[in-house]
């Protein structure tokens, strides 16, 4: 059963990769460069707003709670105020 799912997953991934490559090849060099820059978070500078930062920190907190990482618990037990400081979390 797992082998069948792995084979199907590989086929689906290959199909998706082929589709993406085909669509990227239809773009001009400038359009492709811009798309790749956006994908890799380079290019135009990201405009951080206070709302964006607040939302990002809330999402980060959610991920930390979901993962329940022992190293995070150790760090907070040693210095909670430092670990939970927004300026530290934004590094």
């Amino acid at each position: 059963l797992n082998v069948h799912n792995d084979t199907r997953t590989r086929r689906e991934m290959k199909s998706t990769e082929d589709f993406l490559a085909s669509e990227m090849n239809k773009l001009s060099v400038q359009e492709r460069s811009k798309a790749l820059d956006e994908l890799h978070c380079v290019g135009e500078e990201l405009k951080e707003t206070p709302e964006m930062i607040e939302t990002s920190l809330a999402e980060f907190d959610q991920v930390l709670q979901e993962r329940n990482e022992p190293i995070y618990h150790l760090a907070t037990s040693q210095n909670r105020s430092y670990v939970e400081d927004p300026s530290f979390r934004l590094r």
Side-chain angles (χ1 to χ4, degrees), residues 46 48-63 89-90:
L46 178 65
E48 291 182 343
T49 64
E51 294 81 17
M52 179 186 175
I53 292 170
E54 184 177 330
T55 300
S56 296
L57 287 171
E59 290 172 0
F60 181 63
D61 283 335
Q62 182 66 33
V63 169
R89 290 177 168 219
L90 292 171

Side-chain angles (χ1 to χ4, degrees), residues 38 47 59:
E38 289 175 6
K47 305 288 188 256
E59 290 172 0

Side-chain angles (χ1 to χ4, degrees), residues 3-88:
V3 172
H4 176 69
N5 286 340
D6 288 347
T7 302
R8 187 178 73 199
T9 300
R10 278 192 222 111
R11 270 197 315 256
E12 289 171 353
M13 288 176 59
K14 175 77 170 113
S15 174
T16 301
E17 289 171 356
D18 290 347
F19 172 75
L20 288 173
S22 171
E23 292 301 306
M24 289 293 283
N25 284 331
K26 293 177 184 177
L27 300 175
S28 70
V29 173
Q30 292 82 8
E31 290 170 323
R32 191 176 318 136
S33 179
K34 183 177 180 187
L36 291 172
D37 284 351
E38 289 175 6
L39 176 70
H40 296 288
C41 299
V42 297
E44 292 184 28
E45 187 175 324
L46 178 65
K47 305 288 188 256
E48 291 182 343
T49 64
E51 294 81 17
M52 179 186 175
I53 292 170
E54 184 177 330
T55 300
S56 296
L57 287 171
E59 290 172 0
F60 181 63
D61 283 335
Q62 182 66 33
V63 169
L64 288 173
Q65 290 176 14
E66 290 171 1
R67 290 191 180 174
N68 198 24
E69 293 287 339
I71 194 71
Y72 177 74
H73 294 295
L74 176 63
T76 56
S77 72
Q78 292 178 355
N79 192 339
R80 179 176 294 277
S81 62
Y82 179 74
V83 172
E84 292 180 350
D85 185 302
S87 63
F88 169 72

